[in-house]
Amino acid sequence: MSIDHTYHLVICGSVVPDPLQSLEPVVTQGKPGLKNELMLPMVLDPFVNHSLNEAAKLREATKDTQVHLVAVGPKAKLQQLMMVLAQKTAFNLVAVDAPAGGFIDSHTVAAALAEAIKAIPGLDLQKTLVFGGWSSASRASGTTLQLVGEKLGITEQFFGVDRLTPAADGGFTVLERVEAGQHLETQVAGAPAVIGWATGELPELPNNPKIGMMNMAKIMPAIGKAKAVDLASAGFSVVDTALPAEKRQTRVVKDMPAAAVAAEIKEWIASGKAG
Amino acid sequence: MEQESGLKTLPGDEVRQIQWGFSDRYDLQMLVANARRVARTIVAKNVAEGERNTHEWTKKKAAMIDAFDEAGLTAAFMDVEHGGFIDGPKNLALALMAFEISWVDGGAATAGLAGNLALSPINECGTPEQRARYMGGAVPGKGGKLLRGSFDLTEPLPYAGVDGSMLSGTMRIEKWEEGKEPILKIEKRGRFITNMAYANFVTAAVGSADERIKGSTMVILEETDPGLYDRGVATKKMTHQLSSTHDPVFSLSVPASRIIGGYDIVDGKIVPRLDHGSIIEAVFSHTRVTVGIMTAAKLLSAVEPLIRYHRQRYRGTSADDVASPRFKLGIQQKEDAQQRLADIWAAGEAMCSLGFAAARLFDKIDALVKIRKEILAKKGITGGRALYKETKAIEAQAMEYLKLDGSLTEAQKATDAKYRALKEDPLIQFALLDTLGNVYCPAPKLWNTGHGTNMMREAVALMGGYGITEDAPGYLCNKWVDGQLEATYEGPEVVQRRQISLTMTNELFLEQLRLALAELEAIHREMPNVGAAITARAGKLFLFALDYMQKTNDATGKKYFHANRQGVSFPLADALACLLGSVEQIRDLVRLKNEGPQNPVAAESLPGLLPFMGDLCVIQALDMAGEVEKVLTELIYGYMADPASVRTTLKEYQELRLALEESMAGQRSARDRAGYALTQVSIPEVLDYPQ
């Protein structure tokens, strides 16, 4: 299906510390952060990945739709990430150089994102769909995307979205997650809107190094130009950070029937030992 | 001892990109990302689900090949004009790809690379038409049937081998009509042929069995050619089961245009332009480096699972206090476990450094090959005596360049017209790189796979009984056995030792080695704790001993060093390969020190990482120096009847030995420091691939 309508797609998203790493909160130079934060491997926030897949699909289904990725994160980490992301689909990168450890006030991040979006040359906010994660793999409060929308004056906002179907007139249908595995379907007259993606329904885009090589020609200058911003905000402080108490009770058991495992877990929970 | 160690995390991509010389190559960084993804998802899953337990080619194994295609790994070998995405030479690209896949499974890496091996004869020596058809046809996603190839060498039955002088395949003229292209009848039986379950074309070495065809060559066979294209049975390999290996049989009629590189008709005879030996030489001068990388990757991949296993060894027992050293460190409380792992890591670093240095070297050589051909053609030199004369003249100039390089200061080099002219001459640079390449191709293949496999045994041992179970994380036991196969295929160790023993006495190579040792002395003055002095002095001892053995007879009156005296020349080849590992490891460290500060992420880690990596260099240098000294002393003195009579002659050797031993003073503490750092380094909570 090809629709004779143009959207301006802006994806807000960035890197998060690899959740497989041992992430230890610490306070350095008076600011909360992660131990060895810059040295830890970082990955694209998986929710943003879903947004990118959906954006690529929407661009294919429409006419002349352009995709912009606005990413707030450490410049050097963004560069590494682009080695994968650039291979997925064509997009313009707007990079903002700032920490991405997960201990930042969402108001401050949203302000930086909104400023970066407003500065995208040729972007028409009235045609814009702002994509991003419904949640984040960092310790985010899940409010950043809403705040970005508010700061841009976009009040049509949908969260937990699994599907967006464009219509010929520029409108679209959104399928949002609600309670108990149910979806809410909403007909929207058209852009602008904020779409906070859940997992979506699309498979991950394959890596295509040819697309990557084309994208990198634009991406590297964009990273080079990334403006450094201080995301400290007055009145915001992290009072305390701590790891969840480590508790391991490993027992290697083989060939135990699933029913027996379930019964044991049930007993354990009922005993109150789970904490 | 509760102190802060400088090593915070395991080295990240930013660090590796600088060390291994591809921080400015986005194409390679993307390739690494893609290869890693495939390796740690579908490949790892195949291993975890027991796909290695069958010799047969299965759907799951085939899906892995499709994943290689999708991730651009198959196309990485091809030039842009044929649909690839990497411009220029591909040695480093393929080495990095092999590294990433072998991190999980060597057989999968072989499956990913074997198609390139089949294409290599065509890429290196094929006619433009052959290159267009087969290189272009092997790029996925272009529509039409994808070409997948196998490389079928001599393999005299019933054994598997690479003795190029014993061709079992034959070619005869089946039909030759006036004015038409001859049709050849090819008979070929292969053994241990990779990719054979799904290859639809084969590049096969054959010899003439017809007086109307001269010599030997390689031909391209296609699945659809008239005759028998029998894939044969699956070979019962001891390892690498994620690659397909069969014993095929071919009896096919093919047009003579399938002769790789083409042919001429001379006096009514078909004369192939290239014999199979020269084609094979062109192919193996490149591909063996990659195999060395495959074993090196295994050692580095063992570090994280071993640390995790050691730390978690006692967790879960009822007596645990979570704050106790026993809970936090487990087996890492013990010095032996820490330091033996540091040994493994150090060896892995040196092997990677040597392998990637060789890959970068061959990229430079490849870039000069075409230029050299053009220059020689302009001079009207095509081969024979004229080429020999030209080569000798170039070698003399190359030596002149090296002498100037070693004697001029940097300021003088910038202004000396003679030096600059020699440096910019492509023929001279080719001669220099080529002599290096003649040693640097077999060196990682020999040392990385042989010593690497021994070190993998150490890694398995560090997991105790757990190491020899299928539950052991990181597939260490598989990797140990895989290493043995890698030491064997594409030319077993004996072939590599033979190659090194023939090429290491080249004066241009030896002079470049002398310069490298001088470079290490200079590094030592600036960085005294990276083992540069040890390596330099081990190198000097080696050079003296090699020279002595080339000029001196032993107690029986035989020359110590002789091409056929493998009892002497082969241990020397082993010693040299090991020495080069340390040289390159230290060079990579220096590159990291110089270029690291420009990358903010790498820069953050350098204060802790550089001393640690320096300690690994020292550990490896000490191990290497001990081995080199042992080999040399054993050879020189071991074939001597009366040491007293040569005491004066060998005074310099003894002084060099003493200097080497003195350079080791105080250096063993590097092992203690590195071992301790391993108890402090942060690692991911779990392995990032299925187990």
Side-chain angles (χ1 to χ4, degrees), chain B residues 537-566:
Chain B
R537 291 177 192 188
K540 282 182 179 169
L541 191 72
F542 174 85
L543 285 173
F544 179 90
L546 179 61
D547 185 60
Y548 176 83
M549 285 190 253
Q550 281 182 283
K551 293 174 180 165
T552 315
N553 291 345
D554 69 7
T556 65
K558 283 197 295 185
K559 198 69 98 197
Y560 268 100
F561 187 89
H562 185 275
N564 289 331
R565 195 169 183 188
Q566 297 175 348

Short mmCIF file of all heavy atoms in Angstrom, two decimals, chain B residues 537-566:
data_model
loop_
_atom_site.label_atom_id
_atom_site.label_comp_id
_atom_site.label_asym_id
_atom_site.label_seq_id
_atom_site.Cartn_x
_atom_site.Cartn_y
_atom_site.Cartn_z
N ARG B 537 65.66 -8.26 23.31
CA ARG B 537 66.87 -9.07 23.57
C ARG B 537 66.66 -10.54 23.15
O ARG B 537 67.61 -11.19 22.69
CB ARG B 537 67.25 -8.96 25.05
CG ARG B 537 67.75 -7.54 25.32
CD ARG B 537 68.09 -7.28 26.74
NE ARG B 537 68.27 -5.84 26.94
CZ ARG B 537 68.73 -5.30 28.05
NH1 ARG B 537 69.06 -6.07 29.07
NH2 ARG B 537 68.86 -4.00 28.14
N ALA B 538 65.46 -11.03 23.30
CA ALA B 538 65.19 -12.38 22.79
C ALA B 538 65.37 -12.40 21.28
O ALA B 538 65.90 -13.36 20.70
CB ALA B 538 63.77 -12.80 23.17
N GLY B 539 64.96 -11.32 20.64
CA GLY B 539 65.10 -11.21 19.19
C GLY B 539 66.56 -11.19 18.77
O GLY B 539 66.96 -11.82 17.78
N LYS B 540 67.35 -10.45 19.52
CA LYS B 540 68.78 -10.37 19.18
C LYS B 540 69.45 -11.74 19.36
O LYS B 540 70.30 -12.13 18.56
CB LYS B 540 69.46 -9.34 20.08
CG LYS B 540 69.18 -7.91 19.63
CD LYS B 540 69.90 -6.91 20.49
CE LYS B 540 69.61 -5.51 19.99
NZ LYS B 540 70.06 -4.50 20.93
N LEU B 541 69.06 -12.42 20.40
CA LEU B 541 69.62 -13.75 20.63
C LEU B 541 69.25 -14.68 19.46
O LEU B 541 70.07 -15.45 18.97
CB LEU B 541 69.07 -14.32 21.95
CG LEU B 541 69.73 -15.59 22.47
CD1 LEU B 541 71.13 -15.29 22.99
CD2 LEU B 541 68.90 -16.22 23.58
N PHE B 542 67.99 -14.54 19.02
CA PHE B 542 67.52 -15.36 17.90
C PHE B 542 68.33 -15.07 16.63
O PHE B 542 68.77 -15.98 15.93
CB PHE B 542 66.03 -15.10 17.66
CG PHE B 542 65.49 -15.79 16.45
CD1 PHE B 542 65.06 -17.10 16.51
CD2 PHE B 542 65.43 -15.14 15.22
CE1 PHE B 542 64.60 -17.76 15.38
CE2 PHE B 542 64.96 -15.79 14.09
CZ PHE B 542 64.54 -17.10 14.18
N LEU B 543 68.50 -13.79 16.35
CA LEU B 543 69.23 -13.41 15.13
C LEU B 543 70.66 -13.94 15.16
O LEU B 543 71.18 -14.41 14.15
CB LEU B 543 69.23 -11.88 14.98
CG LEU B 543 67.91 -11.26 14.52
CD1 LEU B 543 67.98 -9.74 14.58
CD2 LEU B 543 67.56 -11.72 13.11
N PHE B 544 71.30 -13.82 16.33
CA PHE B 544 72.66 -14.32 16.44
C PHE B 544 72.69 -15.83 16.19
O PHE B 544 73.51 -16.35 15.43
CB PHE B 544 73.25 -14.01 17.82
CG PHE B 544 74.66 -14.53 17.98
CD1 PHE B 544 75.76 -13.73 17.65
CD2 PHE B 544 74.90 -15.83 18.41
CE1 PHE B 544 77.06 -14.23 17.75
CE2 PHE B 544 76.19 -16.33 18.51
CZ PHE B 544 77.27 -15.53 18.19
N ALA B 545 71.78 -16.52 16.85
CA ALA B 545 71.77 -17.98 16.76
C ALA B 545 71.47 -18.45 15.34
O ALA B 545 72.10 -19.40 14.84
CB ALA B 545 70.74 -18.55 17.73
N LEU B 546 70.55 -17.78 14.69
CA LEU B 546 70.21 -18.16 13.31
C LEU B 546 71.42 -17.97 12.40
O LEU B 546 71.74 -18.84 11.57
CB LEU B 546 69.02 -17.33 12.82
CG LEU B 546 68.55 -17.60 11.39
CD1 LEU B 546 68.08 -19.04 11.23
CD2 LEU B 546 67.42 -16.64 10.99
N ASP B 547 72.08 -16.85 12.57
CA ASP B 547 73.26 -16.56 11.76
C ASP B 547 74.36 -17.60 12.03
O ASP B 547 74.98 -18.13 11.11
CB ASP B 547 73.76 -15.14 12.09
CG ASP B 547 74.91 -14.74 11.19
OD1 ASP B 547 74.70 -14.71 9.96
OD2 ASP B 547 76.02 -14.47 11.71
N TYR B 548 74.55 -17.87 13.31
CA TYR B 548 75.58 -18.86 13.71
C TYR B 548 75.27 -20.22 13.10
O TYR B 548 76.14 -20.90 12.55
CB TYR B 548 75.60 -18.94 15.25
CG TYR B 548 76.55 -19.98 15.80
CD1 TYR B 548 77.91 -19.70 15.95
CD2 TYR B 548 76.09 -21.24 16.16
CE1 TYR B 548 78.79 -20.65 16.46
CE2 TYR B 548 76.96 -22.20 16.66
CZ TYR B 548 78.31 -21.89 16.82
OH TYR B 548 79.17 -22.84 17.31
N MET B 549 74.03 -20.61 13.18
CA MET B 549 73.66 -21.95 12.71
C MET B 549 73.69 -22.05 11.18
O MET B 549 73.85 -23.13 10.64
CB MET B 549 72.29 -22.35 13.27
CG MET B 549 72.38 -22.72 14.74
SD MET B 549 70.87 -23.46 15.35
CE MET B 549 70.23 -22.15 16.33
N GLN B 550 73.54 -20.92 10.52
CA GLN B 550 73.63 -20.95 9.06
C GLN B 550 75.09 -21.08 8.60
O GLN B 550 75.36 -21.56 7.50
CB GLN B 550 73.06 -19.65 8.48
CG GLN B 550 71.54 -19.65 8.44
CD GLN B 550 71.02 -18.37 7.83
OE1 GLN B 550 71.00 -17.31 8.46
NE2 GLN B 550 70.61 -18.45 6.59
N LYS B 551 76.00 -20.61 9.45
CA LYS B 551 77.41 -20.58 9.03
C LYS B 551 78.27 -21.68 9.65
O LYS B 551 79.43 -21.83 9.30
CB LYS B 551 78.00 -19.22 9.42
CG LYS B 551 77.41 -18.05 8.65
CD LYS B 551 77.93 -16.74 9.20
CE LYS B 551 77.35 -15.56 8.43
NZ LYS B 551 77.55 -14.30 9.14
N THR B 552 77.73 -22.39 10.61
CA THR B 552 78.56 -23.29 11.40
C THR B 552 78.14 -24.74 11.24
O THR B 552 76.95 -25.04 11.10
CB THR B 552 78.43 -22.89 12.90
OG1 THR B 552 78.54 -21.48 12.99
CG2 THR B 552 79.52 -23.54 13.74
N ASN B 553 79.12 -25.61 11.30
CA ASN B 553 78.85 -27.05 11.30
C ASN B 553 78.76 -27.55 12.74
O ASN B 553 79.42 -27.02 13.64
CB ASN B 553 79.97 -27.80 10.58
CG ASN B 553 79.95 -27.51 9.10
OD1 ASN B 553 78.98 -26.99 8.56
ND2 ASN B 553 81.05 -27.83 8.43
N ASP B 554 77.99 -28.58 12.94
CA ASP B 554 77.90 -29.16 14.29
C ASP B 554 78.99 -30.21 14.48
O ASP B 554 79.89 -30.35 13.63
CB ASP B 554 76.50 -29.73 14.54
CG ASP B 554 76.21 -30.96 13.69
OD1 ASP B 554 77.14 -31.46 13.02
OD2 ASP B 554 75.06 -31.43 13.72
N ALA B 555 78.87 -30.96 15.56
CA ALA B 555 79.94 -31.91 15.91
C ALA B 555 80.11 -33.01 14.86
O ALA B 555 81.18 -33.58 14.71
CB ALA B 555 79.62 -32.54 17.27
N THR B 556 79.05 -33.27 14.10
CA THR B 556 79.14 -34.33 13.09
C THR B 556 79.62 -33.78 11.74
O THR B 556 79.69 -34.53 10.76
CB THR B 556 77.78 -35.00 12.89
OG1 THR B 556 76.88 -34.03 12.35
CG2 THR B 556 77.22 -35.56 14.19
N GLY B 557 79.88 -32.50 11.67
CA GLY B 557 80.33 -31.90 10.42
C GLY B 557 79.21 -31.43 9.52
O GLY B 557 79.43 -30.91 8.43
N LYS B 558 77.97 -31.60 9.99
CA LYS B 558 76.81 -31.15 9.18
C LYS B 558 76.50 -29.70 9.53
O LYS B 558 76.64 -29.28 10.68
CB LYS B 558 75.57 -32.00 9.51
CG LYS B 558 75.61 -33.37 8.87
CD LYS B 558 74.23 -34.01 8.86
CE LYS B 558 73.71 -34.31 10.24
NZ LYS B 558 72.44 -35.02 10.27
N LYS B 559 76.01 -28.95 8.53
CA LYS B 559 75.57 -27.58 8.79
C LYS B 559 74.40 -27.64 9.79
O LYS B 559 73.49 -28.45 9.65
CB LYS B 559 75.11 -26.99 7.46
CG LYS B 559 75.01 -25.50 7.39
CD LYS B 559 76.27 -24.72 7.43
CE LYS B 559 76.80 -24.29 6.07
NZ LYS B 559 78.21 -23.90 6.17
N TYR B 560 74.47 -26.79 10.81
CA TYR B 560 73.35 -26.75 11.77
C TYR B 560 72.02 -26.50 11.03
O TYR B 560 71.05 -27.23 11.17
CB TYR B 560 73.52 -25.57 12.73
CG TYR B 560 74.25 -25.85 14.00
CD1 TYR B 560 75.60 -25.52 14.15
CD2 TYR B 560 73.60 -26.40 15.09
CE1 TYR B 560 76.27 -25.73 15.32
CE2 TYR B 560 74.26 -26.62 16.29
CZ TYR B 560 75.59 -26.29 16.40
OH TYR B 560 76.25 -26.50 17.58
N PHE B 561 72.03 -25.39 10.26
CA PHE B 561 70.78 -24.98 9.62
C PHE B 561 70.79 -25.37 8.15
O PHE B 561 71.63 -24.90 7.38
CB PHE B 561 70.60 -23.46 9.74
CG PHE B 561 69.26 -22.97 9.25
CD1 PHE B 561 68.17 -22.90 10.10
CD2 PHE B 561 69.08 -22.61 7.92
CE1 PHE B 561 66.93 -22.47 9.65
CE2 PHE B 561 67.84 -22.18 7.46
CZ PHE B 561 66.78 -22.10 8.33
N HIS B 562 69.87 -26.22 7.80
CA HIS B 562 69.77 -26.67 6.42
C HIS B 562 68.29 -26.92 6.15
O HIS B 562 67.56 -27.36 7.04
CB HIS B 562 70.59 -27.97 6.25
CG HIS B 562 70.64 -28.45 4.84
ND1 HIS B 562 69.67 -29.22 4.28
CD2 HIS B 562 71.55 -28.22 3.86
CE1 HIS B 562 69.99 -29.46 3.01
NE2 HIS B 562 71.12 -28.86 2.74
N ALA B 563 67.88 -26.64 4.91
CA ALA B 563 66.45 -26.74 4.59
C ALA B 563 65.86 -28.10 4.97
O ALA B 563 64.72 -28.18 5.43
CB ALA B 563 66.25 -26.48 3.11
N ASN B 564 66.64 -29.14 4.78
CA ASN B 564 66.10 -30.47 5.07
C ASN B 564 66.34 -30.93 6.50
O ASN B 564 65.93 -32.02 6.87
CB ASN B 564 66.69 -31.49 4.10
CG ASN B 564 66.16 -31.29 2.70
OD1 ASN B 564 65.03 -30.82 2.54
ND2 ASN B 564 66.96 -31.59 1.70
N ARG B 565 67.07 -30.13 7.26
CA ARG B 565 67.34 -30.55 8.64
C ARG B 565 66.24 -29.98 9.53
O ARG B 565 66.39 -28.97 10.23
CB ARG B 565 68.72 -30.04 9.08
CG ARG B 565 69.19 -30.73 10.33
CD ARG B 565 70.64 -30.44 10.63
NE ARG B 565 71.04 -31.20 11.81
CZ ARG B 565 72.19 -31.06 12.42
NH1 ARG B 565 73.09 -30.21 11.96
NH2 ARG B 565 72.47 -31.77 13.50
N GLN B 566 65.12 -30.64 9.49
CA GLN B 566 63.93 -30.10 10.16
C GLN B 566 64.05 -30.11 11.68
O GLN B 566 63.37 -29.35 12.36
CB GLN B 566 62.69 -30.89 9.71
CG GLN B 566 62.45 -30.74 8.21
CD GLN B 566 61.32 -31.58 7.68
OE1 GLN B 566 60.82 -32.47 8.37
NE2 GLN B 566 60.93 -31.31 6.45
#
